[in-house]
Amino acid sequence: ETGVTQTPRHLVMGMTNKKSLKCEQHLGHNAMYWYKQSAKKPLELMFVYSLEERVENNSVPSRFSPECPNSSHLFLHLHTLQPEDSALYLCASSQDHSPLHFGNGTRLTVT
Amino acid sequence: AQSVTQLDSQVPVFEEAPVELRCNYSSSVSVYLFWYVQYPNQGLQLLLKYLSGSTLVKGINGFEAEFNKSQTSFHLRKPSVHISDTAEYFCAVSDTDSWGKFQFGAGTQVVVTP
């Protein structure tokens, strides 16, 4: 139990599909994050939510749409993705000045 | 804005030998520094952190790192590695005045062989 749970672990979708990634944190943290991890590249910060308000959006294409209904849950809605969007998507949470706690990620393949 | 450079993309090492993973950063303000480890098919796990105080930081699994402000470095070391230390290691930095904006390095793959 990592404290941050991501589902599904693996996802294969076509370019015309709509799917959602889910993240749930059981640590009582007040901030949640989406990161994209591609091979041989640094982690890319996509979105940050603090107290359920989006505070960071790093020029992410609109085909990625985040949702944070409460401080424990974070979603990433996906539609009309491109093959280059295939990657490991990591969710993380933190509290004030604590380090990030990561989930195990969703391995996304866009065909 | 800050940036992080991990100088080695892959480090092969024999079991029970020492290992050092290099990390350099650039930032115009004070920073917090972190090392994370990622095992296959898992997320990142915190190894250790430097927030303030002693520049020598000890973490889990026998790892330690030293913060060198003049050289803007935060190298990770372990005196004797195990096969189970085979993983990818990430250095990360966060400005002290803008918590939440972590910048990660590209990672160093450590491969431990018998």
Side-chain angles (χ1 to χ4, degrees):
Chain A
E1 174 59 57
T2 65
V4 179
T5 304
Q6 289 187 244
T7 55
R9 290 297 309 275
H10 301 272
L11 178 62
V12 179
M13 59 186 290
M15 292 167 56
T16 58
N17 289 160
K18 289 185 179 181
K19 296 285 185 183
S20 296
L21 310 185
K22 179 182 176 182
C23 176
E24 183 175 1
Q25 60 101 355
H26 315 276
L27 301 168
H29 289 168
N30 59 8
M32 296 187 76
Y33 309 73
W34 280 116
Y35 280 88
K36 177 183 179 182
Q37 185 178 27
S38 304
K40 305 304 179 188
K41 292 176 64 176
L43 269 69
E44 300 173 51
L45 178 62
M46 300 176 73
F47 302 103
V48 181
Y49 278 81
S50 176
L51 297 172
E52 302 154 41
E53 294 290 326
R54 190 191 307 181
V55 297
E56 187 77 21
N57 178 349
N58 272 4
S59 303
V60 179
S62 59
R63 57 186 184 269
F64 294 91
S65 174
E67 178 189 2
C68 187
N70 55 61
S71 60
S72 299
H73 293 85
L74 185 65
F75 295 89
L76 188 62
H77 304 300
L78 316 171
H79 65 96
T80 59
L81 294 191
Q82 304 298 311
E84 60 265 28
D85 296 322
S86 298
L88 181 67
Y89 288 85
L90 291 165
C91 175
S93 68
S94 71
Q95 174 73 29
D96 298 329
H97 287 263
S98 72
L100 295 172
H101 290 253
F102 285 87
N104 285 330
T106 294
R107 173 70 62 187
L108 174 66
T109 303
V110 181
T111 61
Chain B
Q2 68 273 57
S3 66
V4 180
T5 301
Q6 291 184 241
L7 296 160
D8 306 294
S9 61
Q10 187 167 23
V11 173
V13 58
F14 288 110
E15 190 175 17
E16 297 183 7
V19 70
E20 179 179 79
L21 308 184
R22 296 178 292 169
C23 173
N24 288 89
Y25 70 93
S26 66
S27 177
S28 57
V29 298
S30 298
V31 296
Y32 299 128
L33 295 155
F34 310 86
W35 275 99
Y36 286 84
V37 60
Q38 185 177 32
Y39 300 104
N41 301 314
Q42 294 187 24
L44 278 69
Q45 177 184 353
L46 182 70
L47 270 180
L48 47 79
K49 62 182 183 287
Y50 172 79
L51 303 182
S52 65
S54 173
T55 57
L56 182 63
V57 180
K58 294 190 183 298
I60 62 171
N61 301 341
F63 284 93
E64 65 179 30
E66 185 155 19
F67 170 51
N68 188 318
K69 187 174 181 179
S70 63
Q71 296 186 5
T72 61
S73 68
F74 191 55
H75 300 334
L76 179 71
R77 294 188 290 263
K78 185 170 182 177
S80 176
V81 297
H82 302 291
I83 298 290
S84 59
D85 292 321
T86 295
E88 189 147 24
Y89 293 79
F90 294 91
C91 182
V93 63
S94 174
D95 287 346
T96 59
D97 61 352
S98 58
W99 188 262
K101 295 183 181 180
F102 293 84
Q103 187 73 34
F104 284 82
T108 298
Q109 178 69 44
V110 172
V111 180
V112 182
T113 54

